[in-house]
Each structure stands twice: as structure tokens, then as C-alpha cells.
């Protein structure tokens, strides 16, 4: 990159907000995928849509790839500058602009940390339930670009279900609002929803208007152990037939329990050898009476599947204890030096057990091991494929073949390659397993409609 | 149209399923807008995506405009063949293919009548809450293409919130599924949601996979009269701050009451001269206890606004009686020979009263009268602009100016031109009031990405 480009970036954002690669620390350009560092030519921190538009104009003029970047918590490489060029962090767009209690929406800049937003509105009695595990460092804009899910998705949906309107800098350098700050809007094409999960290839989200709801005041947590995975899956599925949705229905299979148990508190609910899978439940309601109704209904359904143990958490401390095993799986794996590839196929919920059985068989055939847990009621499991030391999980040849088998298993059960992690640059090659050539060509034409020079986030989501 | 085209259509769909205009009755080519009949050249009733794809190919080869048509209940002309050419009815795609109780979705062809679908799944204990007033003749595919709303949208959302996957014949003649039959899917761009509200300009929806939920078993209805519209609006808004959402919160102002009262049963709740507006509420819950919680909470909120009268409906008969005034407004207007243009701007809910005040002032300045009622909690009112006899409401010059003022009033209050009716060919000219030239140009490029020859539903939604 000619030094004049860096000078032009500095002219746009100020001297102290544009850097050469050698001037920045590695953490500010990484994400949570297994990819090695990508070479790039400048890192820039704009503070406004106007500055971003100027940077986009510059990239168009000079045909420089531009990669937008949120909190860097993605696991499929969506925020990595795989084609080089300019890396654009949204970090300085970090203001909560307006919380409208009457109309129940909030206007935020896209660089606001998800947890910061959640905490701020909860202080006002409101709630935004779609916080992913990475909420402490992920940005709202990244959550939108990935259409993030959450353990609470089985009750509340995904980020797309809370989007009212977006301000976006288009790859052509213009700024639009995609919709209006209202609950019903059919004026024009539904571009707001098209941006949900668009992984930064169609535009750079700079502001979002998010629906917020009253904060539930009552919560209860329950952990039920089952003597086999099939029964646990059936019990979880039976809850979805109930009238009152739990806010979370997580499955934790024995492989994850064994790996994580040493890392949780010694007074973690006793784990008999009989327990082959846990179902972790949580309800969020507004009244004690409503909570009792919900828990009673679910409890009756669970009992029909003869759980080995049931532990109930009423206080925050008890609830945290019950969640601790689920929440520390990743940490336990890292502490034991495991490297893993997190597969997040989603299948129709009734097919979860068939899917688990099928992929366990596949992993065995390849001599690999899977650690399975996740969002059972949505059919969206996390399957951690353990990688041998030194295997980056990106290039290994037999991995492509193994992943192809796993994704085909999900697809043959009516599923999809990714339920919440997205495609990024990690899973492009598998898209043709699910999407026809016609479908892929159409997506590329849509991309061209937004980004005729293909400068924005090249190498992501699409097969380009 | 050369007669060979009709022959080719008959070769695709069979002799008895393609007609010249003079062979069809007027009702099968009209909709509920105020537009006069549009000349067209053939009406065709295909029975499958494959047949539709062949018709699309023919239209591409011969550059013939193609207008898809659902139940013909739209009010903005979306199903009218304004550019001539071939009119394609989805009427024969009328099968409910699969109701999956375990995974809580249904697979239907797009020509299924909405009410037929609702009745079929309710017989199995399931529910699809987004049925518009026209449910008795509208098609599911049309509801999706318009992203239809419902009086129940304040609790359940709009059709887009119940879409899992769509089968679509693209304007290029290829057939794709836009997503997967799962609750979470981020594999590729969110084309499923882009089709919601796309008004038939991006593709012809042939099948839909719709989320279904357990059918609520308990219902209660309540009608509260208020001595002024402002208080009624405030009372309706206060309900949205509650924990438990009513399934419907409808506002009926005095103008609608006066017009409709003679058409409802004599034992309709007594209407004192003090009532200037009704708020009609309905709750749908699963248990009597849950219903009591919901009604009690709302009732306390309403009481704070000092209603003149409150009537409660517990039995189906009582509920129907309370809904009768709301449901018969259109019929009452027609019976009195009123012609009207139904304006359905949506504003943030806290701005409903300001919007009503503003547009009443505008109508007065033009010497016109408005009949206002609708979905108060969503901020989405129906405003019937009465038209003088002989005024088609489409061409009248002063109407453009009046509507411009009304839409600008909605926009200045943070609203949108249309909350549920769409743009069709009735409101194209107003799009630039809300959407920038950049936004409109982007929508046209997206249209071109789907339909490079611009054969599908020309003259609708976009300024083309």
C-alpha cells in the first residue's frame, strides 16, 4: 500500500486513529477462529458513518479490499482481512444513543459491546434477550451481521427478530436507513432483514434500532440428568410441545460433562455414573404465579422421561451453579490443551438424536472425537471436533472429508450447515453441499447489486 | 399476443388452464384496490413450480410481462397486470403438504387459502396467528409476498416472523429453496426474509414452511370506552408497558363508531354520547390462571385512564359481539355507498394520537373526512379517506397532494408510509418521500439481480 493511502486514512479519521500493521497488537486484529494472522495493510478506527463513507470511497477509487470488524469474537473468520487491504474497526462507534421506553426500542451505534447494552437497558427495566456467550466483548453490529443466536433463542428467536431498522454505509459509499423505527413496515424491499446475517459483505452497519421488551423479574433454573442421550433429547423435544416456552433448553452430553466436571465447583450437582446427558432448563417470567405455571408444566413433561436426578435453582447463586458446567465447556477444553473446530449445524429439533448418532459414527470412522452440547430445543448443537496437536483445523485434508460427511448428515436430516456461527471464510467450500449453483449465483448477483467493485469483506460468506 | 403464445401456455398447463381475457369472469382478475380493470393477454393456472418455471422461461424468451396473483385481496394493486402480458394465478397450488407437530412447522403450497390453513392446523391443536381480515379468500403466498399483518400482530408479529423457508420460482426460471426447515439458519444470505413483503417482484413463491405454535385454549375480550381519543391512545400505549401482551389492541374512534353502529346488533354495548373512542382488547392464553394474570394486569392499567364503560366478553358469542363493530366498519362504509382510500401508515406507538390529530387537520384543510381505527399498539392505524362519488381515488389530483401531506405527517413522527398494505402500483409515487434516491436505486439493482429482463410484476413496489 502506498504511504499516501495511510496519509489519506489519517486525513479522514485523524492521526491517532489509523495504523500500519506493525503498530498494532495482535489481539486487535484476531478473532476466535483457528485462522492464523492475515496480512493487511492498515487498521483504521473511524468514529462516524461519514468517516466510514470516506474510507469506502477511497477503497473504491483505489480498488482496496475493506474488511469491517466488530468485537472479533466470530469463530468462522468473518472479521479477518483475508484479502489484505484495510481493516476497519467499529470500536469507536460505541454510543447508546437513545432508549425509548414508550415505544420499546433502543438506538445504538454498532460498536457498542452487547453486554454494555444489555446492562444499560436492564437498569431501566428493559431486556434484550439475544446475548451470545461472547456478549462481554462482541459488538451489537457484529451480532447483527452474524444474526447471532443465544441459549435463549428457543424462547426469543435470534437477533433478526429484534431488528427494527439499520443505518448502513453501503459499499458504494452512500449511507441509508434500511427501514423505519416502527413495528410494522412494508415500504420497500425488506433490506433490514437482508442485512441480518449478511456477514459484512453487503454494507457496514453503523447504527441499529433494536426492539426491547420488559425485563422478566422471575427466573428459575433446573438441571435434569438422564440415563441416555436419546431420552434426554426426547425430553427436551417434549418441552417444545408445551404451552409455555422455557427461555433455555440446553443439552449437555456425557463427553462434555466428563471434560468439564473437573473445572466446576466441587458442590456441582452430584454426577452419578448413570447420567449420560443433562438437560439444563431456565424459565424467565414476570410473575411468581406465571413462573410456577411454566415450571409445573415443564416439570410434568420431564417426569414422563424418568430423569435420574433433578436439581432446581431458585437463587442467583444456585442458578449460576447449575449453569457453570454448560458455561465452562470451552474453558475446560482450552485448559486441557484441546484445540477444536466448533460445528454448529442446525437440524429440525425432532432429529437431534439421529443427528448426534450419525455424526458420532462419522467421527469414529475418522478416528476423531466429538464433544456435543447446545441448544437442543432449536435443534442447534455445538459439536466440538477435537483436533490433534499442530492441526490448525483449517488446512487438514481429512478434515474436509470429515466435515463434508457431518454436514451431509445434517442436510439429510433436513438441517443446515450453520445455525448461528455463519460461513465466514471457514466454511465457504461447503456451501455447495447445501445451496444449488443457481442459489449461489443469485447470492453473488445480490452481492454485486450492493458492491459492484467487490471491495467489501471479500472471501466471506459467498463463493467469491 | 400472438396466438402461438396461448398455445404454448396450453401446452404447459393443459388446454383447460389457460384463457384469453374474454373467456374469464371479471372477479378472477380484480383485487380490492380502487383500480379499474387492467388489460392483459392471457390468464394461466399452473399446477406446479415446474409449470411456472416453463411459463417464466416463455416470458423471458418473448419479453412478456408476467404478473403473479394470489387471492386477489390486496388493496394496493399488487396482483393487477398493469403492464399487460400474462396473469398467473396460484390458485391450483392449494395443498397443505405436511403438518409436522414434533418440529412445529407446516409445509404448504402458496395458493392455500389462509383460513383453510388455519382451520386445518387448529384441528390438530396448532395455531398460525397471523391471519388478516381477508383470511377467507387471501392466499398464504400472497400474505407472505405482502408480509401481512393482523389484529394479532401486537403479540405475534407479522408473517415474516413465522417464515422458515420458501420455495420460489425465480424470474430467471430456476427454482430454489431460500433456506432450511429449521429454527436457526445462517447459511448464506437471508433470502427468505427478503421475499417477505417483496410483492411478487423478486420471484413467485410456490411453497412455504411456516412456524406453527400450540393453539391457545383460553380467550377473553374486553371493550373499554373513553371520553376522548387522546386518553384512549394513552391507555392503549400503557398496555404495551405491561408484562403480558394482549393478542389484540384495537382503537376505534368516534367517526368509525358512528358510521358502523347502525350495522351492528341492537344489543351491542351501550354507546353513551361520552364515548369518543373504544379500545378493543383480546387475550389469548393457554390456561385459565395465565389468562387471569394477563387480564388483571391490563385491567389495572386501563383503570388508570378512567374508562367511561368496560364490557367483558368471555363466551364466544360475547366476544363476537364486542368484535362486531370493529369487524363491520368496511361493510358499513360500503353499505352507505362510501368509497374510500385505506391509508395504513405506521408510526411509533407513542405517536398515534399526534398522528391522528395531524392528519385530521390535514383532511379538514382539504375538505375531506377520515374514518380512523386499527392496530393501536403497533402504531398501525387504518385511515379511511372518504372519496366523493365518481372519484376513483387513483387519478384525482388533489388526492396526491393530500396523501403527500398525510405521509409526510407520518414520516415526521418517525413513521412509514405503509405498515401492512404494501406499495403495489397505488403508492409508488410516494416512495421518494420516505426512501432516498440511493435507497431506491439500490432496490432497483436488487430487483435486477433477481430479474435481469424485468419481466416479473412490472410497475409494482419499485419506481420502475
Amino acid at each position: 500500500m502506498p504511504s499516501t493511502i495511510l496519509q489519506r486514512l489519517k486525513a479522514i479519521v485523524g492521526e491517532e486513529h489509523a495504523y500500519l500493521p506493525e503498530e498494532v497488537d495482535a489481539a486487535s486484529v484476531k478473532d476466535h477462529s483457528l485462522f492464523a494472522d492475515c496480512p493487511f495493510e492498515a487498521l483504521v478506527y473511524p468514529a462516524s458513518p461519514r468517516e466510514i463513507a470516506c474510507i469506502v470511497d477511497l477503497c473504491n477509487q483505489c480498488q482496496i479490499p475493506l474488511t469491517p470488524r466488530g468485537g472479533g469474537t466470530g469463530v468462522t473468520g468473518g472479521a479477518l482481512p483475508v484479502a489484505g487491504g484495510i481493516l476497519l474497526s467499529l470500536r469507536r462507534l460505541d454510543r447508546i444513543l437513545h432508549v425509548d421506553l414508550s415505544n420499546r426500542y433502543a438506538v445504538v451505534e454498532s460498536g457498542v459491546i452487547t453486554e454494555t447494552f444489555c446492562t444499560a437497558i436492564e437498569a431501566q427495566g428493559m431486556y434484550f434477550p439475544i446475548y451470545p456467550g461472547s456478549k462481554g466483548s462482541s459488538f451489537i453490529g457484529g451480532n447483527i451481521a452474524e444474526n447471532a443466536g443465544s441459549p435463549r433463542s428457543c424462547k426469543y428467536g435470534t437477533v433478526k427478530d429484534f431488528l427494527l431498522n439499520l443505518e448502513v454505509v453501503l459499499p458504494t459509499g452512500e449511507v441509508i436507513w434500511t427501514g423505519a423505527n416502527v413495528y410494522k413496515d412494508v415500504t420497500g424491499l425488506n433490506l433490514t432483514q437482508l442485512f441480518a446475517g449478511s456477514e459484512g459483505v453487503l454494507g457496514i452497519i453503523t447504527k441499529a434500532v433494536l426492539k426491547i421488551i420488559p425485563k422478566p423479574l422471575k427466573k428459575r433454573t433446573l438441571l435434569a440428568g438422564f440415563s441416555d442421550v436419546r431420552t434426554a433429547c426426547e425430553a427436551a423435544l417434549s418441552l417444545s410441545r408445551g404451552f409455555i416456552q422455557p427461555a433455555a433448553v440446553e443439552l449437555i452430553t456425557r463427553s462434555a460433562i466428563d471434560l468439564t466436571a473437573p473445572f466446576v465447583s466441587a458442590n456441582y450437582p452430584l454426577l452419578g455414573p448413570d447420567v449420560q446427558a443433562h438437560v439444563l432448563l431456565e424459565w424467565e417470567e414476570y410473575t411468581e404465579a406465571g413462573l410456577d405455571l411454566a415450571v409445573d408444566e415443564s416439570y410434568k413433561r420431564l417426569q414422563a422421561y424418568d430423569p435420574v436426578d433433578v436439581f432446581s435453582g431458585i437463587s442467583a447463586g444456585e442458578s449460576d451453579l447449575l449453569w457453570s458446567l454448560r458455561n465452562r465447556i470451552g474453558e475446560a477444553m482450552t485448559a486441557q490443551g484441546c484445540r477444536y473446530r466448533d460445528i454448529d449445524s442446525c437440524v429440525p429439533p425432532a432429529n437431534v438424536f439421529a443427528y448426534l448418532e450419525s455424526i458420532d459414527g462419522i467421527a469414529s470412522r475418522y478416528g476423531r472425537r466429538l464433544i456435543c452440547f447446545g441448544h437442543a430445543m432449536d435443534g442447534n448443537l455445538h459439536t466440538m471436533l477435537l483436533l490433534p496437536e499442530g492441526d490448525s483445523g483449517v488446512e487438514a485434508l481429512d478434515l474436509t472429508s470429515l466435515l463434508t460427511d457431518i454436514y451431509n448428515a445434517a442436510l439429510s436430516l433436513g438441517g443446515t450447515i450453520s445455525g448461528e456461527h455463519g460461513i465466514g471464510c471457514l466454511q465457504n467450500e461447503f456451501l455447495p453441499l447445501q445451496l444449488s449453483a443457481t442459489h449461489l449465483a443469485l447470492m453473488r448477483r445480490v452481492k454485486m447489486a450492493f458492491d459492484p467493485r467487490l471491495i467489501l469483506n471479500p472471501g466471506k460468506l459467498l463463493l467469491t
Side-chain angles (χ1 to χ4, degrees), chain A:
Chain A
M1 175 179 300
S3 66
T4 55
I5 298 287
L6 186 70
Q7 285 318 309
R8 287 175 70 179
L9 287 175
K10 289 188 172 191
I12 295 167
V13 298
E15 277 293 325
E16 70 281 32
H17 299 302
Y19 299 95
L20 292 171
E22 55 268 30
E23 298 173 307
V24 301
D25 67 296
S28 32
V29 298
K30 275 187 190 304
D31 70 358
H32 293 179
S33 72
L34 298 171
F35 277 94
D37 295 354
C38 296
F40 63 98
E41 295 163 274
L43 172 61
V44 63
Y45 295 99
S48 68
R50 196 187 50 75
E51 289 182 4
I52 294 171
C54 292
I55 297 166
V56 169
D57 283 343
L58 176 64
C59 291
N60 271 301
Q61 284 161 27
C62 305
Q63 195 69 32
I64 301 171
L66 178 63
T67 301
R69 175 180 174 80
T73 60
V75 297
T76 56
L80 298 180
V82 292
I86 295 171
L87 188 56
L88 183 158
S89 166
L90 277 306
R91 193 174 71 182
R92 291 176 68 212
L93 279 74
D94 63 353
R95 292 174 301 166
I96 297 170
L97 298 171
H98 178 50
V99 178
D100 189 322
L101 297 177
S102 286
N103 294 308
R104 288 181 297 148
Y105 64 70
V107 186
V108 299
E109 290 187 318
S110 57
V112 171
I113 290 174
T114 310
E115 191 170 47
T116 305
F117 172 61
C118 291
T119 306
I121 63 166
E122 286 179 34
Q124 298 188 59
M126 301 304 283
Y127 193 48
F128 178 75
I130 312 301
Y131 42 89
S134 56
K135 65 177 174 174
S137 45
S138 69
F139 291 178
I140 285 287
N143 291 170
I144 297 167
E146 299 293 325
N147 187 19
S150 143
R152 285 160 185 78
S153 288
C154 60
K155 177 169 182 168
Y156 300 105
T158 57
V159 168
K160 78 176 196 314
D161 300 308
F162 283 76
L163 283 187
L164 295 184
N165 197 4
L166 295 173
E167 183 192 65
V168 177
V169 180
L170 297 174
T172 42
E174 299 137 324
V175 182
I176 62 167
W177 280 97
T178 57
N181 300 2
V182 293
Y183 287 97
K184 292 165 77 180
D185 182 15
V186 289
T187 309
L189 292 171
N190 193 352
L191 299 184
T192 307
Q193 287 294 324
L194 184 60
F195 275 99
S198 64
E199 300 194 5
V201 306
L202 301 183
I204 300 175
I205 298 164
T206 46
K207 293 190 189 78
V209 183
L210 301 167
K211 200 155 71 169
I212 55 180
I213 61 174
K215 181 174 158 57
L217 304 172
K218 305 290 173 186
K219 192 165 94 163
R220 204 168 299 162
T221 312
L222 191 140
L223 185 77
F226 293 88
S227 58
D228 62 276
V229 178
R230 182 195 292 268
T231 308
C233 290
E234 285 170 0
L237 184 68
S238 80
L239 296 169
S240 73
R241 295 196 200 108
F243 297 146
I244 304 170
Q245 298 285 299
V249 180
E250 297 285 302
L251 177 75
I252 315 169
T253 67
R254 188 79 211 188
S255 60
I257 294 171
D258 286 341
L259 194 84
T260 314
F263 291 79
V264 299
S265 149
N267 60 349
Y268 182 80
L270 206 64
L271 272 169
D274 288 350
V275 172
Q276 289 305 312
H278 274 160
V279 175
L280 177 64
L281 290 150
E282 191 157 274
W283 295 265
E284 293 178 340
E285 298 290 336
Y286 293 104
T287 60
E288 201 63 39
L291 186 64
D292 286 341
L293 277 175
V295 176
D296 288 352
E297 213 234 358
S298 299
Y299 194 78
K300 270 183 216 141
R301 288 180 182 272
L302 283 181
Q303 284 299 329
Y305 294 88
D306 200 15
V308 178
D309 286 317
V310 175
F311 300 91
S312 181
I314 293 174
S315 71
E318 289 164 353
S319 168
D320 288 349
L321 181 65
L322 296 183
W323 272 95
S324 61
L325 186 131
R326 167 66 180 89
N327 285 341
R328 300 185 74 172
I329 296 171
E331 180 190 339
M333 292 179 73
T334 306
Q336 288 171 75
C338 301
R339 290 172 60 81
Y340 55 85
R341 169 108 171 211
D342 184 347
I343 299 161
D344 77 321
S345 287
C346 187
V347 296
N351 294 346
V352 165
F353 181 69
Y355 170 69
L356 287 176
E357 223 178 15
S358 174
I359 64 175
D360 267 340
I362 293 166
S364 297
R365 285 205 303 280
Y366 284 84
R368 303 270 193 154
R369 207 172 138 222
L370 294 173
I371 309 296
C372 299
F373 59 95
H375 320 308
M377 204 155 97
D378 288 326
N380 183 209
L381 293 200
H382 294 287
T383 310
M384 307 304 215
L385 174 65
L386 296 187
L387 303 174
E389 212 166 326
D391 182 343
S392 78
V394 174
E395 300 87 7
L397 270 184
D398 82 323
L399 208 57
T400 297
S401 168
L402 189 164
L403 289 170
T404 299
D405 289 352
I406 287 181
Y407 291 139
N408 278 332
L411 296 171
S412 72
L413 290 164
T416 186
I417 290 174
S418 177
E420 57 185 22
H421 289 164
I423 301 302
C425 54
L426 193 66
Q427 317 216 81
N428 292 4
E429 64 178 316
F430 302 107
L431 282 178
L433 299 177
Q434 180 174 344
L435 307 179
S436 65
T438 296
H439 195 135
L440 293 168
L442 176 62
M443 291 195 338
R444 281 194 293 269
R445 294 199 303 274
V446 171
K447 162 73 171 173
M448 291 288 290
F450 282 79
D451 185 9
R453 289 173 178 268
L454 300 175
I455 58 148
L456 194 63
N457 215 6
K460 311 296 170 59
L461 180 59
L462 304 154
L463 279 176
T464 48

